[in-house]
Amino acid sequence: MALSLGLAASEPAFSVFKVFKFLIDSRMSVMCGYKVPRRILDVSAEAAFKVLRFAKNVERSGRRVIHLEIGEPDFDTPKHIKDAAVEALKKNLTHYTPTLGIPELRQEIAESVKRDYGVEVDWERNVAVTTGCKQAILASTLAIVDEGEEVIYPNPGYPEYEAAAYFAGGRPVPYRLRLEEGFRMTAERLAELITPKTKLVVLNTPNNPCGVVMPEEDVRGIVELAEDHGFYILSDEVYRPILFDDLKHYSPLHVKKSLDRLIIADGFSKRYAMTGWRLGYALVPEEILPQVFKLLNVMNSCPNSISQYAALAALRGPQEPVMDMVREYWRRRDAVVEELSKLEDIRFVKPEGAFYALVDVSKILNRLEVNSEEFVKMLIERYGAAFLHGTALGSYGEGFIRISFAASEEDIREGIRLLGKAIEELTRS
């Protein structure tokens, strides 16, 4: 059996692992009288944080580790945003807020949607402020998906989509993103997965972990498919400003011009380097909002008050800091492409947006007779370079590693050079 970092894997390549895990969990349940609910048993915690913890443990032993595994901007939150938070503290705005967020922020989100998408939404009927984009995805999925209904989601992809489907009692259906097809999600291939039980289809553009930006034709095709079959679309657009090569962001909202059977999940973490502030939002159809309200009220009563005032300043204030960060990500993307192009026996698609590259290392893994998780462990322990193994991003991620270029150019170049050194030494020995 493969070595493990304690990181979850899923579906076909790991069926033996899942059976073994089920037997252990069942034995523990009998011993202590506790039975793990099926919908929780199938859920895996986000493995990027576990890889980070493993890498930090190696660092504590005195080794230097270059961190290219975690998807977090290395920039500081812009000063005017932090100043707004300090001012809110001084004004003692530290109490409960409405469950769906303060009216000023919800109104400003609606205004930003009008500016960015050219579509008017009603802040009272369509906007919910959440504790991060992750909660926007979870609450929206729970509000839509019933027991046994199907959720189609990109795989490799952000693991929250699959987890949310399990939490809802639904059936996750992976749409396999293939490197040979440029990791594209098309209406033609999506149509092959649709059944009468399909309730929700998840899009993510720009994409984590592939760095792909969906072209207008693919977005439009999927919207038309949704109208024909009556399923909802959940579009995760948290990386939408981070685009390279002068590409444009296309959203289902640009096509539909309304939130009819459409949810947009977004947030402040990536755009404004506010990961620790834990604030996001969902744009939802009017009929969904009361259910989202109930779920958010039960989950956490309301979003963090200080973070909301900081987010208000982020939307109202200058957007130059965002553009500065995007320009720097673009420069780093070019460094990633330059360094990866020097390596043999790997394949990758040039990232178009977000701050990730998904690298096919299957040839190396086959020679070493290890899986991607074991390979990542080797890279951390022996070479001091931390990447994310592909199965942290879904069953179809096996054979890949993800590189996050939300790090300094120096670390990016050094980390990929260490990857090249590892490939040369390990395959030669």
Side-chain angles (χ1 to χ4, degrees):
M1 180 159 296
L3 297 174
S4 174
L5 299 176
L7 307 181
S10 59
E11 295 296 21
F14 285 84
S15 57
V16 174
F17 172 84
K18 293 190 80 172
V19 169
F20 182 65
K21 179 177 180 293
F22 175 77
L23 291 173
I24 291 176
D25 288 339
S26 298
R27 179 176 173 82
M28 288 299 296
S29 298
V30 171
M31 290 172 64
C32 65
Y34 167 64
K35 182 179 179 181
V36 181
R38 167 58 63 182
R39 64 181 59 184
I40 297 176
L41 190 64
D42 287 333
V43 171
S44 301
E46 191 174 346
F49 292 97
K50 294 183 179 179
V51 175
L52 176 63
R53 186 175 66 218
F54 181 82
K56 290 289 186 183
N57 287 337
V58 172
E59 278 184 317
R60 277 192 284 274
S61 70
R63 293 279 314 280
R64 180 178 180 242
V65 176
I66 293 173
H67 293 279
L68 302 178
E69 78 278 37
I70 200 76
E72 177 174 35
D74 62 327
F75 300 102
D76 291 332
T77 302
K79 184 178 182 299
H80 69 281
I81 299 174
K82 292 187 286 188
D83 288 345
V86 171
E87 188 61 27
L89 283 168
K90 289 179 178 178
K91 291 180 178 178
N92 294 314
L93 299 173
T94 56
H95 301 283
Y96 287 131
T97 74
T99 293
L100 295 177
I102 58 174
E104 305 97 302
L105 179 57
R106 295 172 69 199
Q107 289 168 11
E108 197 61 42
I109 290 170
E111 285 298 315
S112 73
V113 171
K114 186 177 180 180
R115 286 195 305 271
D116 298 343
Y117 295 88
V119 178
E120 291 196 19
V121 299
D122 189 316
W123 72 268
E124 290 185 283
R125 294 180 172 87
N126 302 124
V127 180
V129 180
T130 59
T131 302
C133 184
K134 180 179 284 190
Q135 191 183 60
I137 293 166
L138 177 59
S140 299
T141 304
L142 291 173
I144 292 169
V145 178
D146 209 345
E147 198 79 28
E149 293 181 326
E150 295 174 350
V151 177
I152 301 175
Y153 67 100
N155 185 329
Y158 183 46
E160 177 71 9
Y161 312 138
E162 182 183 36
Y166 276 128
F167 274 128
R171 176 175 174 261
V173 178
Y175 177 110
R176 185 171 191 168
L177 299 177
R178 297 190 174 109
L179 184 145
E180 294 79 9
E181 299 172 350
F183 296 123
R184 285 180 65 178
M185 189 175 192
T186 66
E188 291 75 19
R189 280 196 52 219
L190 180 63
E192 298 171 5
L193 299 175
I194 294 171
T195 75
K197 291 186 177 181
T198 301
K199 188 63 170 291
L200 181 66
V201 171
V202 181
L203 310 183
N204 177 212
T205 182
N207 176 277
N208 167 23
C210 306
V212 171
V213 175
M214 291 185 71
E216 183 178 14
E217 62 187 282
D218 289 346
V219 175
R220 186 174 297 279
I222 292 170
V223 167
E224 291 171 357
L225 205 57
E227 291 173 350
D228 289 342
H229 292 271
F231 57 78
Y232 283 85
I233 294 174
L234 193 164
S235 185
D236 177 358
E237 304 184 9
V238 74
Y239 294 98
R240 65 184 169 92
I242 307 175
L243 301 164
F244 314 129
D245 305 321
D246 300 318
L247 291 173
K248 293 183 179 180
H249 170 66
Y250 292 103
S251 165
L253 190 55
H254 286 121
V255 177
K256 292 178 71 70
K257 303 298 183 184
S258 77
L259 292 171
D260 177 36
R261 304 185 78 82
L262 171 64
I263 301 96
I264 305 293
D266 205 337
F268 301 86
S269 294
K270 315 299 183 180
R271 199 187 328 175
Y272 298 105
M274 294 176 67
T275 51
W277 299 77
R278 306 313 305 132
L279 207 70
Y281 58 88
L283 308 176
V284 301
E286 182 177 352
E287 71 272 15
I288 299 299
L289 192 66
Q291 311 314 317
V292 171
F293 166 83
K294 286 193 293 187
L295 290 161
L296 296 178
N297 184 269
V298 169
M299 287 179 189
N300 61 346
S301 297
C302 67
N304 180 287
S305 63
I306 301 304
S307 293
Q308 290 185 72
Y309 289 101
L312 186 60
L315 290 177
R316 287 178 174 173
Q319 300 304 300
E320 285 78 10
V322 178
M323 296 302 101
D324 290 343
M325 285 187 267
V326 171
R327 280 189 286 270
E328 179 60 20
Y329 288 134
W330 191 338
R331 195 168 67 84
R332 294 173 181 180
R333 188 284 308 265
D334 291 343
V336 168
V337 171
E338 180 184 342
E339 294 297 334
L340 286 177
S341 298
K342 298 175 184 177
L343 305 186
E344 295 182 358
D345 294 329
I346 66 161
R347 298 187 303 161
F348 67 96
V349 171
K350 183 179 181 181
E352 301 170 324
F355 38 67
Y356 307 104
L358 193 65
V359 183
D360 179 357
V361 292
S362 56
K363 283 188 178 181
I364 291 96
L365 300 184
N366 290 337
R367 284 185 206 153
L368 297 175
E369 296 183 343
V370 298
N371 60 36
S372 61
E373 183 179 341
E374 292 171 313
F375 185 54
V376 162
K377 183 178 180 181
M378 287 181 187
L379 292 172
I380 296 171
E381 288 184 319
R382 302 188 193 182
Y383 296 91
F387 305 94
L388 186 62
H389 59 99
T391 46
L393 302 154
S395 54
Y396 294 126
E398 182 52 61
F400 293 89
I401 59 172
R402 189 191 74 179
I403 298 174
S404 168
F405 49 92
S408 70
E409 182 179 345
E410 179 184 2
D411 279 357
I412 291 166
R413 290 187 183 275
E414 181 61 18
I416 298 176
R417 285 171 190 153
L418 288 170
L419 172 62
K421 180 182 179 182
I423 292 171
E424 183 180 353
E425 292 181 355
L426 292 170
T427 55
R428 188 177 57 199
S429 59

